Amino acid sequence: MRTHTLEPIIAQHPFFQGLLPAYRQLIVECAANVRFPADVYLFREGEAANQFYLLRHGLVALQVFVPGRGPITLDTLEAGEVLGWSWLFPPYRWHFDAQTVEPTRAIAFHGECLRTKCDTDPQLGYALMQRFAHIMMQRLQATRLQLLDMYGVQV
């Protein structure tokens, strides 16, 4: 019987570029290959957040529900992108909905497993936090530009 590991896939993902191989090995212990059909929710606002995803194939809409209007798509994520950082911050609850637009493959990382490893090895925690901070900064900037565009403000 052949055993497959997710380490080579994780090593090639842009999110983990430059991460020490020893840290990738620790992270792979918290990883699982997952698949989702189109039009399913990976998570919903308010639910417990205990994972994040490296998207390998497909599209996922990041949404917010607006009373009287329904779901509004804030961003659509594709292969190569990372989905979810609420697992990092107490109270570990999702702040948005994430719905697949088409069949999606991803690697899911168990949040509690990663938090334990980060507590044990603060350098690993710092390396992950730097990566998530970069993604958060990019998404906040994109949201700011969307708001400016929505209200017709010239940049």
Side-chain angles (χ1 to χ4, degrees):
M1 182 166 95
R2 245 172 91 189
T3 303
H4 296 279
T5 177
L6 295 174
E7 200 279 332
I9 297 167
I10 291 169
Q12 292 176 357
H13 197 283
F15 183 72
F16 288 119
Q17 290 297 305
L19 190 68
L20 295 175
Y23 290 156
R24 284 196 313 263
Q25 194 55 50
L26 288 173
I27 289 167
V28 80
E29 295 170 7
C30 301
N33 229 343
V34 294
R35 293 174 182 258
F36 302 97
D39 298 321
V40 298
Y41 285 93
L42 278 68
F43 52 81
R44 301 297 296 256
E45 180 180 357
E47 292 178 345
N50 197 32
Q51 65 274 338
F52 82 93
Y53 302 93
L54 294 183
L55 300 180
R56 298 182 60 208
H57 176 80
L59 295 173
V60 177
L62 194 58
Q63 304 171 332
V64 62
F65 184 83
V66 178
R69 289 188 64 192
I72 304 288
T73 297
L74 301 173
D75 201 358
T76 302
L77 306 178
E78 58 188 21
E81 295 189 270
V82 175
L83 173 64
W85 60 70
S86 295
W87 67 274
L88 272 171
F89 306 104
Y92 311 116
R93 297 272 173 211
W94 295 116
H95 297 278
F96 301 100
D97 297 338
Q99 183 179 23
T100 57
V101 176
E102 60 187 40
T104 300
R105 291 192 328 253
I107 298 175
F109 292 86
H110 190 270
E112 188 175 344
C113 176
L114 285 173
R115 287 192 304 267
T116 299
K117 290 181 183 300
C118 290
D119 287 344
T120 302
D121 188 335
Q123 289 181 329
L124 169 62
Y126 182 69
L128 285 178
M129 189 62 72
Q130 283 181 307
R131 285 164 167 73
F132 277 103
H134 181 75
I135 289 170
M136 293 164 65
M137 182 185 67
Q138 288 177 322
R139 299 247 171 95
L140 286 171
Q141 181 66 10
T143 301
R144 182 179 83 77
L145 293 174
Q146 282 180 327
L147 289 172
L148 290 173
D149 185 50
M150 186 168 56
Y151 288 107
V153 177
Q154 297 295 323
V155 181

